[in-house]
Amino acid sequence: MGKFTVYIIDDDASVRAGLLRLMKSYDLRAQAFDCPQSFIAALESDAAGCVLLNINLPDAASLHLPQRMARQGVCLPVIAVSTENDDRTRRTTREIGASFLLHKPVDDQALIDVILWVGGGSDAEMRSASAG
């Protein structure tokens, strides 16, 4: 199985860069993608970790990501992130099967806590799993 990785999917380069820095500061392995299509193209069948997904991407491709992962035989928990906080966004989050919905700007510690929770490990276990 691959090493635990936080797969960041967001169309905003500054958001991706900031999240990559945050993951590095917590010794978590991360990869960033500007769209679901580039993530799917790079996705390996033994991928382990979670997906941090902006569900408000312009082309709505984020809404089909869980099905596309499943077609490749990969099941990763999805943490949805959105600038919106309304019924439609919450419904969309449920429909795609996301484990959590966080609102931008996301609190760093809350995000790390959610990643550790969906990863099923303690902070030390997750760092060990992502090292190397």
Side-chain angles (χ1 to χ4, degrees), residues 10-119:
D10 199 295
D11 58 342
D12 185 324
S14 63
V15 169
R16 290 191 308 271
L19 289 170
L20 284 170
R21 280 191 303 276
L22 177 65
M23 297 307 126
K24 185 176 181 179
S25 74
Y26 280 85
D27 294 326
L28 292 171
R29 184 173 183 213
Q31 293 180 11
F33 301 90
D34 63 351
C35 66
Q37 295 87 338
S38 60
F39 166 69
I40 288 294
L43 187 60
E44 297 179 7
S45 61
D46 68 343
C50 66
V51 177
L52 184 58
L53 176 64
N54 176 351
I55 62 169
N56 298 114
L57 295 173
D59 63 1
S62 59
L63 306 181
H64 306 289
L65 183 63
Q67 294 90 345
R68 293 180 72 187
M69 287 191 303
R71 281 197 296 271
Q72 288 191 228
V74 176
C75 181
L76 297 173
V78 174
I79 301 166
V81 180
S82 175
T83 55
E84 305 296 324
N85 185 11
D86 56 23
D87 289 340
R88 184 184 62 80
T89 302
R90 288 185 288 278
R91 184 175 52 254
T92 299
T93 301
R94 285 189 303 276
E95 288 171 357
I96 67 169
S99 300
F100 283 91
L101 171 61
L102 300 173
H103 302 285
K104 290 182 180 182
V106 176
D107 177 77
D108 292 352
Q109 188 59 57
L111 175 58
I112 296 300
D113 290 346
V114 167
I115 290 169
L116 295 175
W117 189 85
V118 300

